[in-house]
Amino acid sequence: MSSLFLRTLRDAPADEDIDSAKLLIRAGYIRKEAPGVFAWLPLGLRVLNKIEDIVREEMTSIGAQEVHLPALLPREPYETTHRWEEYGDNIFKLKDRHQVDYLLAPTHEEMFTLLAKDLYSSYKDLPVTLYQIQTKYRDEARPRAGLIRGREFIMKDAYSFTCDKAGLEECYRQERAAYERIYQRLGVKYVIVHAFSGPMGGSESEEFLAPLPIGEDTFAQSPAGRAWNVEALKTPVLADVDFSATPVPFEVTTPGAGSIDDVVAMLNEQVPRSDRAWQAADILKNIALTAHYPDGHTKLIVVGLPGDREVDLKRVEACLSPLEMSQATDEELAQHPELVKGFIGPMSLGSQAKGTGVASPVEYYLDTHVVKGSAWVSGANAVDRHTLNLVYGRDFVADGVIEASQLKPGDMSPDGSGPLSFQRGVEIGQVFQLGRKYTDAFGFTVLDEEGRAVPVWMGSYGIGVSRVLACVVEFHHDGNGIMWPVTVAPAQVHVVMAGKSDVIVDGAEEFVSQLLDQGVEVLFDDRRKVRPGVKFNDAELLGMPIIAVVGRDFERNGTIELRLRDGGDSQVVLAREAAAKAKEMIDHLCRQYDAG
Ligand code: ATP
Ligand code: MG
């Protein structure tokens, strides 16, 4: 450490919001160069390389072959698949000196399809799986959480090509199994959830989510153990309701009612129900959203959902992909005077509006919890007025039924096994059965045994290598610093030379060379001008799995203290036995991360 390029910081950087970012920067593993852009310093690079090596080993074990494509790519292939547009502002686009368009790749489906198509033409060539570990670029709207949402980040992306669907399913199964081994070896907990395919397209897809409260994804689990990203969860279809006994609609005045609760209170006062009190769930609330097309133009839509539920923009986006959603501003709403803010009613909305009054060209979508035949109280399209007995299917219709509302505890799971429970997670990997989306776009076929051209089936499989490194820290740290799993630690043993007498210096050097002889990786704090207290703090912060102290006890009794960073009693052993003991401890630690 006397010559290592490393400066640890006493305080956490003020602008980082999560523990892993604070610790990795404080401990001198990474450095922030710009929002979402990081430099790797010597110790950080060692961890990154170890993670990459584990990923490589597991990719090799399933026969995937490593290549390395450029990050700077031409526009045309992304035009062919429409992703130049669909990725929207998330792509870093640039021009060369001839004003020709390029992009910094956010992912590589197009280029791998072209690569395989160029070289392969026969069924005999397939199956093949190629992968790379490479820097990706995405101009994320909100770079945050350090390495977890970077704008430049490292991804392992693999692509399988097969002659048929069965082959694709087999490749998918192998990748998925390799992912399970990778995360086990990295010491990262994960839940496999059904996923929404997003701009990737394709059908079957699962995500590996690290269950962490800092995650931006929410996943739902059923009592039977199935899990879904809430973006991908389809709520069970509810049966239609018989509305033959529901009287015709009528209006009431609700002066000054500014919230759903106000409306409910006024209803209970003015038009009390005989069976029970009015509730928020009886109100159909209509929310104006601005839908953003990939090319930048926008349109207003209205979404109707029960008053006791909140709109979930991500779930709306998943249903109306590739449109992106935001709450409509007052100015946007003002362009549709027929929609009265706070009192939007469903009767005149949508392309097939039934109601009287001014028809609105605005598209109207209903949440799945609004069942055909059910009766609602909703805005009357007039200030301070609401309408009762509005029956969906009789008095109003919609342009579509979508998953528009936030799910909540108690909602039933699609597998019928009972109520859902919810947790936050960080997406550390995703596997896709893309099917023929990309191969068809580029006309990638191969000749089968009879010489006929058959389409090629494709899968794509990503791991966020730099993101998963941050997740390792999220799972393995305490108030004093990082606690690396032995499989990825920059070194296995951190030897602290706690004192500067010749006896201690010689003893520490001797111990280090014994460790090296045993093949142990050592970080040696040989700094002479640094106090032991500072060294101990650094050892805790840096987080090697075993901390060994050669200090006063060595001087007095010839002993070395060995301690596991993540807890457990320290052991005091004779110097000549210490290296073997350390090796034994390392082997024991390694077994905890064995993936079998
Ligand atoms: P997210 O939903 O978090 O934006 P994504 O679904 O867009 O991620 P993919 O296209 O599936 O990401 O990319 C494969 C993997 O790359 C992800 O599972 C994730 O681990 C990682 N990844 C994606 N975006 C980033 C990022 N901005 N910074 C770091 N890692 C990322
Ligand atoms: Mg993903």
Side-chain angles (χ1 to χ4, degrees):
M1 283 179 72
S2 59
S3 58
L4 182 64
F5 187 68
L6 171 73
R7 278 290 168 277
T8 56
L9 308 175
R10 199 209 299 257
D11 298 310
D15 57 338
E16 293 302 335
D17 47 2
I18 61 163
D19 290 346
S20 57
K22 289 179 188 161
L23 287 172
L24 286 166
I25 293 174
R26 243 189 88 200
Y29 285 86
I30 60 171
R31 206 176 99 93
K32 190 188 215 156
E33 305 292 347
V37 181
F38 293 87
W40 297 92
L41 306 187
L43 289 182
L45 197 55
R46 279 185 71 89
V47 180
L48 183 65
N49 287 337
K50 288 197 170 188
I51 295 179
E52 291 185 358
D53 286 346
I54 288 174
V55 171
R56 280 197 179 90
E57 279 173 30
E58 295 298 342
M59 285 298 108
T60 304
S61 80
I62 57 168
Q65 301 173 57
E66 186 169 7
V67 297
H68 197 91
L69 269 58
L72 178 64
L73 298 178
R75 168 178 177 159
E76 288 71 27
Y78 285 77
E79 279 288 353
T80 307
T81 58
H82 308 292
R83 288 214 290 183
W84 179 263
E85 292 294 336
E86 277 175 18
Y87 254 105
D89 287 339
N90 272 352
I91 299 191
F92 279 105
K93 297 174 176 171
L94 61 160
K95 287 185 192 299
D96 71 5
R97 63 175 73 206
H98 307 294
Q99 301 304 307
V100 176
D101 283 321
Y102 283 81
L103 72 152
L104 296 177
T107 167
H108 275 77
E109 280 74 10
E110 286 81 352
M111 305 318 284
F112 273 84
T113 310
L114 287 171
L115 175 66
K117 180 190 172 190
D118 240 21
L119 270 64
Y120 277 1
S121 55
S122 158
Y123 75 97
K124 291 182 210 139
D125 298 325
L126 303 181
V128 67
T129 298
L130 303 174
Y131 79 99
Q132 61 179 350
I133 296 177
Q134 198 236 20
T135 307
K136 298 280 190 274
Y137 296 86
R138 293 184 188 180
D139 194 0
E140 299 278 359
R142 282 172 296 279
R144 61 173 284 278
L147 297 172
I148 288 188
R149 189 165 296 285
R151 295 195 298 164
E152 178 182 284
F153 60 96
I154 298 164
M155 197 200 287
K156 183 287 298 185
D157 45 326
Y159 305 86
S160 68
F161 299 94
T162 52
C163 289
D164 54 24
K165 191 158 185 292
L168 168 58
E169 283 162 3
E170 175 59 15
C171 289
Y172 182 91
R173 200 190 55 71
Q174 287 186 10
E175 285 282 343
R176 193 178 184 278
Y179 278 33
E180 297 208 61
R181 293 193 296 273
I182 289 168
Y183 298 125
Q184 161 67 20
R185 292 178 65 182
L186 297 179
V188 171
K189 293 201 193 87
Y190 62 90
V191 178
I192 304 177
V193 308
H194 295 277
F196 163 64
S197 310
M200 295 288 182
S203 50
E204 173 69 351
S205 171
E206 289 165 298
E207 284 167 348
F208 288 72
L209 297 186
L212 286 165
I214 52 139
E216 287 183 89
D217 285 282
T218 304
F219 64 97
Q221 276 172 306
S222 75
R226 303 228 310 161
W228 297 260
N229 191 315
V230 292
E231 291 175 32
L233 191 142
K234 299 269 174 258
T235 45
V237 180
L238 301 168
D240 293 3
V241 173
D242 174 20
F243 59 85
S244 52
T246 308
V248 291
F250 67 99
E251 286 184 21
V252 295
T253 51
T254 49
S259 66
I260 300 269
D261 287 346
D262 291 346
V263 176
V264 169
M266 286 181 198
L267 290 173
N268 280 321
E269 205 160 286
Q270 291 180 38
V271 279
R273 293 175 66 123
S274 53
D275 54 342
R276 59 167 171 81
W278 291 102
Q279 303 161 354
D282 298 319
I283 316 281
L284 177 65
K285 71 174 171 190
N286 293 302
I287 305 212
L289 299 178
T290 303
H292 303 256
Y293 285 86
D295 68 3
H297 90 272
T298 61
K299 72 175 177 191
L300 198 76
I301 66 166
V302 173
V303 171
L305 64 155
D308 62 338
R309 290 182 174 269
E310 298 304 320
V311 70
D312 185 329
L313 297 185
K314 279 188 158 183
R315 284 173 39 82
V316 175
E317 285 171 354
C319 292
L320 301 181
S321 172
L323 301 186
E324 286 183 14
M325 298 295 149
S326 62
Q327 296 276 355
T329 62
D330 284 353
E331 294 80 64
E332 283 160 338
L333 198 53
Q335 294 179 0
H336 289 272
E338 77 280 7
L339 303 179
V340 181
K341 191 184 170 208
F343 301 91
I344 300 176
M347 303 76 79
S348 53
L349 284 169
S351 47
Q352 321 198 351
K354 296 202 163 194
T356 48
V358 189
S360 173
V362 172
E363 282 169 31
Y364 186 49
Y365 293 92
L366 281 173
D367 180 52
T368 47
H369 294 92
V370 180
V371 178
K372 267 259 167 70
S374 55
W376 298 86
V377 179
S378 197
N381 278 326
V383 175
D384 286 347
R385 295 186 76 77
H386 278 84
T387 311
L388 282 75
N389 292 341
L390 285 168
V391 171
Y392 169 35
R394 181 187 74 181
D395 305 312
F396 66 94
V397 290
D399 293 298
V401 177
I402 61 173
E403 302 286 345
S405 62
Q406 263 174 31
L407 298 166
K408 45 186 193 184
D411 283 350
M412 286 297 151
S413 53
D415 65 9
S417 70
L420 294 165
S421 60
F422 298 88
Q423 254 179 288
R424 308 284 283 179
V426 175
E427 183 190 323
I428 48 177
Q430 183 160 15
V431 286
F432 284 96
Q433 293 185 21
L434 293 171
R436 288 161 42 182
K437 172 171 168 164
Y438 293 89
T439 49
D440 280 354
F442 292 106
F444 180 15
T445 58
V446 290
L447 298 180
D448 70 7
E449 284 167 67
E450 274 91 50
R452 289 174 309 212
V454 293
V456 172
W457 294 70
M458 181 176 179
S460 90
Y461 318 91
I463 287 183
V465 174
S466 47
R467 179 182 282 188
V468 84
L469 187 151
C471 291
V472 173
V473 178
E474 288 294 330
F475 284 118
H476 302 273
H477 74 276
D478 63 13
N480 297 328
I482 302 171
M483 309 188 292
W484 291 113
V486 67
T487 44
V488 300
Q492 295 153 339
V493 182
H494 185 138
V495 177
V496 179
M497 184 176 90
K500 47 193 168 187
S501 70
D502 288 346
V503 177
I504 290 177
V505 171
D506 291 347
E509 284 176 354
E510 172 61 21
F511 178 47
V512 167
S513 68
Q514 285 170 0
L515 286 171
L516 295 176
D517 287 345
Q518 299 246 15
V520 174
E521 295 173 341
V522 184
L523 180 64
F524 183 21
D525 196 345
D526 60 340
R527 294 175 296 177
R528 301 209 177 201
K529 297 222 169 78
V530 177
R531 280 185 293 114
V534 173
K535 291 186 173 182
F536 293 139
N537 287 345
D538 274 348
E540 298 281 308
L541 177 63
L542 290 169
M544 301 319 123
I546 296 171
I547 299 174
V549 182
V550 185
R552 222 174 295 155
D553 285 350
F554 178 77
E555 216 164 20
R556 283 198 210 120
N557 317 320
T559 56
I560 291 174
E561 181 195 328
L562 297 175
R563 190 163 60 78
L564 289 178
R565 170 64 183 88
D566 70 357
D569 296 333
S570 65
Q571 311 195 25
V572 176
V573 284
L574 285 172
R576 66 182 136 75
E577 290 160 11
K581 182 69 199 165
K583 183 79 176 83
E584 199 179 292
M585 289 165 76
I586 293 165
D587 291 343
H588 180 74
L589 288 174
C590 286
R591 283 195 290 276
Q592 292 175 16
Y593 298 96
D594 213 359

